[in-house]
Amino acid sequence: MSAELNTPIEFVKGVGPQRSLLLKNELGIHTLIDLINHFPFRYIDRSSFTAISDVKESNAAVQLKGTMGAFSEVGHGSSKRLVAPLFDQTGSVELVWFKGQKWVKSSLKEGKPYIVFGKMARYGQKLSIAHPEMELVEENAIPKGLQAVYSSTEKLLNKGLSSRGIEKLIEGALPGLKGWIDETLPDYLVQKYRLISKEDAIFNIHQPKSEAWSLAALYRLKFEELFVLQLYLLQRKLAYTYKTPGHRFTVVGDHFNDFFKNYLPFELTGAQKKVIKEIRYDLGAGFHMNRLVQGDVGSGKTMVALLVSLLALDNGFQACVMAPTEILAKQHMASFQSYLKDLPIRVALLTGSTKKKDRRVLFEELQNGEISILIGTHALIEKDVKFKNLGLAVIDEQHRFGVEQRSKMWKKNTIPPHILVMTATPIPRTLAMTLYGDLDISVIDELPPGRKQVKTLHRFDKHRLEIFAFIEKQIAEGRQVYVVYPLIDESETLDYKDLMDGYESITRRFPMPDYQVSILHGQMKADAKEFEMQRFIKGETQILVATTVIEVGVDVSNASVMVIESAERFGLSQLHQLRGRVGRGADQSYCILVSGVKLSADAKTRLQAMTESNDGFALSEVDLKLRGPGDMMGTRQSGLIEFKIADLVKDQEILTQARKIAANVIENDPELIDERNKRLKRALVQLQNSRKDWSKIS
Ligand code: ADP
Ligand code: MG
């Protein structure tokens, strides 16, 4: 890199002290290279314009060329706005500004020709564009092809740094950089994958010579961004595993064999076998396992956890299973106990509500090794929980735990226990590659046999009588029913009112003594919740009216109907999770999505996707497209999925390729010490410096 590229932004031609301050604060641009790395988010094809008379559709983005007429102010109060007509030979549209009127008036010139870009709206006969992007047509200007559009902010606009203003700064700087932009990827990769050079990419991302060059530049820069991140993740994965010694589970012993031969209640599915094999390989290899098992609801993850725990026991270690809620922990406890009831294996439960007295005994038995398997909530990672020799930690439903908790688990033994993370929230492959890029991933992509697909229907509120009649029939056949209400915010009193109203109308329609209805929500005391839950599990009540407390893990195989009220308010993954509560027995099960008639486009897509697919992975792809990666995963982990130019939704293919190539590079040269890879080593150092907060993420 030339010294010039490090020029502080205030010394770049056309910037100066005032604008430099804004560029730093608003866009994080501190030096010339930062400016050059401020990539456009879109291009205008400067060679094509729509004639105003051809503009018909509302809401379409159009590019017009015409003369702007005189400004006038119309409306009062908050609807006060500045308007001006734009004419071309075929007609006129109205340009409208609600904000920044003073600036608009002083910077745009009446009677001059402009190129105008914006979204068309139609009010009656009148066409208008609010807050258009405007550019003066310079006389005698050489016509351009694709013109870059840059993101800007209101404060920058006020200092003349609109998209065009930023473009001018870059335009001024680029010629002097010819020959100074160093290649950042190894030559052998650039050649092998036919990438354009870094310099060509930088020049063409800002000033594409043609559409083909703009695409090549986009590809090159997106690839580089994704590739370097994958290198980083894969290198770290290598450090966790191969460089961290792990307990070596060499034997398959009595516990495992005895259980497998004599007590396994069903034949494992092919997918379960495959995943156990992958895990066994890790456990025998002498390094520290960090593996994520993704499997749809009902795919049989619990049995995988149990079998792997038995392997730990066979090798002289203890195992623990951590679940995100007390209900789930108890459910795991019940499953483990029933599977192991005839075997001499001590399983214990530890949750927040374990009594102090019992705790003391439990801790003692844990330390002297009498307890072999400990199941519980996050209470497990508290400091005073000490094991004699913990060899395996299973963490169920990972996305509810922070990654910090994962690392606390590591400290439970001098050599960290193997970590098996299980999640029933399928996430798209490309997202997993990034968010869990430093874990090995196994997928249980098969459901146990004989299970009937849940039938999913969408009905409107007004069909409630029909829905009640259906519920009645199912109950008459001995089935049980869930009715779930949204409770997005615990403090939302309106949601509680909906829930209680719903409960009332259900008890009216299904009165005692013929029917029993349970209710379950977050504001109930733990023992009341437990009581109601148990009544339903034992089949004493036919209907369970609940909020999403039941979302995870509850397993009542006799329940065959899941009614989801206000289904339009739930996210796709939540709907799918809820649906997973039914279809666990041999009977045909149903999921009924109840919504209002008025639905947003996204809500329609979600509900339709649910009725069309039972595949959690397919639904997660839809979800990713609807919400984007950041919203889908919540903000906590979004640092890893924020990119300068790449887009995890659109660039899945590039990512897949980048991952493959990165794996190849790391396999051949794990430490990147080969002279040929020295640029990559530098890129990783830069990446780490620019994103210090990452260390917290995993
Ligand atoms: P999840 O992956 O959602 O945690 P579970 O482990 O709770 O799924 O399993 C769901 C149900 O399927 C349980 O009732 C379990 O006993 C049953 N099950 C698991 N594996 C098999 C199998 N291979 N064959 C038949 N039933 C199975
Ligand atoms: Mg489970």
Side-chain angles (χ1 to χ4, degrees):
M1 198 198 302
S2 78
E4 191 159 338
L5 281 165
N6 284 322
T7 307
I9 192 67
E10 50 267 45
F11 302 129
V12 171
K13 205 175 131 221
V15 178
Q18 271 194 0
R19 287 171 146 199
S20 79
L21 216 63
L22 279 172
L23 284 169
K24 284 178 200 171
N25 294 339
E26 300 284 298
L27 298 175
I29 295 176
H30 296 267
T31 60
L32 177 55
I33 189 74
D34 291 341
L35 177 68
I36 296 304
N37 282 330
H38 184 60
F39 299 138
F41 64 92
R42 170 173 98 67
Y43 297 93
I44 301 174
D45 181 355
R46 298 292 303 268
S47 55
S48 99
F49 301 97
T50 308
I52 291 176
S53 63
D54 286 344
V55 176
K56 286 170 195 93
E57 218 179 311
S58 186
N59 216 19
V62 290
Q63 182 167 245
L64 311 170
K65 190 173 175 181
T67 303
M68 191 183 75
F71 287 115
S72 53
E73 272 166 34
V74 296
H76 304 280
S78 62
S79 75
K80 197 170 140 195
R81 56 201 188 272
L82 186 67
V83 300
L86 181 86
F87 303 97
D88 71 3
Q89 278 118 338
T90 68
S92 76
V93 295
E94 189 168 76
L95 309 175
V96 187
W97 293 268
F98 297 94
K99 285 192 276 182
Q101 296 165 1
K102 212 165 133 195
W103 181 79
V104 170
K105 252 180 139 165
S106 68
S107 61
L108 299 180
K109 301 186 182 81
E110 298 174 350
K112 292 279 183 190
Y114 280 93
I115 290 171
V116 175
F117 183 89
K119 252 191 192 156
M120 197 54 86
R122 179 187 286 279
Y123 297 102
Q125 282 301 315
K126 217 170 195 167
L127 288 169
S128 69
I129 303 179
H131 292 272
E133 286 171 24
M134 305 272 295
E135 195 194 328
L136 193 62
V137 180
E138 281 155 45
E139 275 152 53
N140 308 323
I142 311 156
K144 292 186 218 172
L146 295 177
Q147 180 182 15
V149 183
Y150 298 89
S151 58
S152 180
T153 66
E154 189 156 352
K155 280 188 187 152
L156 285 167
L157 277 175
N158 288 333
K159 287 276 172 251
L161 287 178
S162 59
S163 166
R164 180 69 186 118
I166 293 170
E167 190 192 0
K168 277 190 176 145
L169 293 181
I170 293 173
E171 227 169 53
L174 276 178
L177 295 178
K178 199 122 211 139
W180 287 109
I181 297 174
D182 293 338
E183 183 50 63
T184 38
L185 292 176
D187 293 331
Y188 75 97
L189 288 180
V190 173
Q191 276 152 24
K192 184 162 179 199
Y193 297 102
R194 297 170 185 223
L195 302 170
I196 61 172
S197 71
K198 182 67 174 252
E199 177 164 310
D200 279 342
I202 292 291
F203 274 77
N204 279 282
I205 201 77
H206 294 295
Q207 301 178 337
K209 284 188 271 198
S210 67
E211 188 166 358
W213 274 102
S214 110
L215 293 176
L218 273 171
Y219 185 88
R220 150 83 210 215
L221 295 171
K222 287 176 170 192
F223 174 85
E224 181 173 343
E225 190 170 34
L226 294 166
F227 175 73
V228 172
L229 178 61
Q230 288 302 323
L231 271 183
Y232 169 79
L233 292 168
L234 288 166
Q235 205 182 39
R236 207 160 56 159
K237 176 168 131 188
L238 214 65
Y240 281 170
T241 53
Y242 301 99
K243 283 205 281 183
T244 309
H247 304 289
R248 201 185 277 270
F249 292 5
T250 46
V251 297
V252 179
D254 289 346
H255 290 112
F256 188 95
N257 284 328
D258 185 24
F259 180 79
F260 202 85
K261 283 196 198 109
N262 304 317
Y263 298 99
L264 192 67
F266 38 65
E267 167 113 25
L268 295 181
T269 63
Q272 283 170 319
K273 284 185 196 156
K274 178 193 72 183
V275 168
I276 288 170
K277 204 165 145 193
E278 286 164 356
I279 295 168
R280 276 199 48 204
Y281 170 77
D282 289 356
L283 297 177
F287 55 75
H288 180 220
M289 175 175 80
N290 274 286
R291 186 170 282 278
L292 173 74
V293 173
Q294 286 204 63
D296 219 335
V297 270
S299 61
K301 293 185 291 295
T302 314
M303 185 49 77
V304 171
L306 177 73
L307 288 169
V308 179
S309 300
L310 293 180
L311 274 179
L313 271 48
D314 276 343
N315 287 275
F317 293 96
Q318 291 162 300
C320 72
V321 179
M322 182 161 77
T325 65
E326 182 144 357
I327 292 182
L328 250 181
K330 283 186 176 151
Q331 192 120 36
H332 278 313
M333 180 67 184
S335 310
F336 271 55
Q337 271 179 328
S338 88
Y339 286 135
L340 299 174
K341 65 179 181 299
D342 298 321
L343 292 165
I345 295 173
R346 267 288 295 285
V347 186
L349 179 73
L350 175 69
T351 70
S353 45
T354 305
K355 301 243 161 50
K356 227 179 173 165
K357 190 172 83 230
D358 300 335
R359 243 167 218 260
R360 213 171 313 125
V361 181
L362 191 145
F363 287 169
E364 218 179 283
E365 294 177 334
L366 202 58
Q367 281 200 46
N368 66 26
E370 275 175 64
I371 293 173
S372 298
I373 302 176
L374 182 65
I375 297 177
T377 55
H378 55 267
L380 296 196
I381 50 174
E382 281 163 20
K383 263 225 283 305
D384 46 357
V385 181
K386 296 195 183 91
F387 292 82
K388 183 179 180 205
N389 195 10
L390 183 66
L392 169 79
V394 178
I395 304 178
D396 198 9
E397 315 282 0
Q398 131 91 16
H399 70 296
R400 294 184 173 235
F401 288 112
V403 179
E404 265 162 67
Q405 275 134 323
R406 217 203 296 164
S407 65
K408 277 190 189 155
M409 232 3 145
W410 287 34
K411 304 201 177 91
K412 294 283 176 190
N413 203 341
T414 34
I415 292 180
H418 294 297
I419 304 283
L420 186 66
V421 178
M422 305 199 300
T423 166
T425 311
I427 59 172
R429 218 167 45 88
T430 50
L431 204 52
M433 266 181 216
T434 307
L435 273 178
Y436 302 108
D438 51 359
L439 298 182
D440 287 298
I441 300 180
S442 291
V443 180
I444 309 186
D445 48 7
E446 181 187 357
L447 293 181
R451 210 166 284 173
K452 290 206 180 83
Q453 294 257 315
V454 178
K455 280 197 180 131
T456 304
L457 312 159
H458 174 207
R459 291 286 180 271
F460 295 115
D461 289 327
K462 55 186 183 196
H463 299 128
R464 193 162 314 266
L465 291 181
E466 186 196 316
I467 297 167
F468 279 164
F470 179 74
I471 291 177
E472 186 178 4
K473 237 174 73 192
Q474 287 285 310
I475 293 175
E477 287 175 26
R479 304 283 95 81
Q480 287 165 283
V481 178
Y482 295 103
V483 182
V484 176
Y485 283 83
L487 186 67
I488 311 301
D489 180 357
E490 283 288 341
S491 62
E492 192 56 78
T493 43
L494 248 173
D495 283 345
Y496 273 108
K497 189 175 173 310
D498 282 352
L499 173 78
M500 296 321 289
D501 287 352
Y503 175 67
E504 240 166 61
S505 77
I506 287 167
T507 46
R508 232 178 294 130
R509 177 64 172 72
F510 297 97
M512 293 203 284
D514 294 346
Y515 298 95
Q516 298 283 334
V517 182
S518 291
I519 184 160
L520 195 63
H521 60 74
Q523 288 191 345
M524 287 162 64
K525 290 247 165 61
D527 48 351
K529 265 196 256 184
E530 179 61 24
F531 175 75
E532 291 289 313
M533 198 61 231
Q534 284 306 327
R535 288 210 305 152
F536 189 69
I537 290 171
K538 288 184 200 140
E540 292 166 11
T541 64
Q542 292 85 39
I543 303 177
L544 174 64
V545 179
T547 59
T548 45
V549 197
I550 61 155
E551 183 192 340
V552 259
V554 173
D555 193 357
V556 180
S557 60
N558 188 47
S560 67
V561 183
M562 167 65 66
V563 179
I564 305 176
E565 293 284 347
S566 302
E568 71 271 33
R569 289 180 57 199
F570 289 91
L572 202 42
S573 75
Q574 225 179 355
L575 289 173
H576 181 63
Q577 286 283 321
L578 287 169
R579 177 168 61 184
R581 299 303 110 216
V582 296
R584 308 202 137 214
D587 308 297
Q588 178 62 57
S589 292
Y590 303 87
C591 174
I592 303 172
L593 307 169
V594 187
S595 80
V597 180
K598 259 197 172 162
L599 292 172
S600 70
D602 279 8
K604 253 185 220 157
T605 309
R606 286 197 297 272
L607 298 179
Q608 192 180 346
M610 281 291 292
T611 58
E612 284 171 2
S613 175
N614 269 300
D615 176 351
F617 284 96
L619 291 172
S620 75
E621 299 281 353
V622 176
D623 208 18
L624 179 63
K625 289 200 175 101
L626 284 179
R627 290 199 286 166
D631 279 347
M632 192 167 162
M633 301 313 300
T635 44
R636 181 171 43 192
Q637 286 164 318
S638 68
L640 269 174
I641 46 183
E642 266 164 28
F643 294 98
K644 195 185 258 310
I645 191 162
D647 177 329
L648 283 186
V649 178
K650 293 189 196 134
D651 302 327
Q652 305 202 357
E653 259 170 63
I654 308 179
L655 172 58
T656 309
Q657 206 200 6
R659 169 97 176 172
K660 217 161 79 193
I661 298 169
N664 218 316
V665 170
I666 290 289
E667 196 175 312
N668 291 320
D669 181 16
E671 307 278 349
L672 300 178
I673 42 179
D674 188 335
E675 180 62 20
R676 298 197 311 163
N677 288 327
K678 72 168 189 256
R679 288 176 189 155
L680 295 179
K681 186 143 198 165
R682 199 179 309 139
L684 287 189
V685 172
Q686 267 175 18
L687 182 75
Q688 259 156 320
N689 289 342
S690 70
R691 298 188 168 183
K692 287 215 167 59
D693 49 325
W694 277 8
S695 52
K696 288 192 217 109
I697 293 173
S698 64

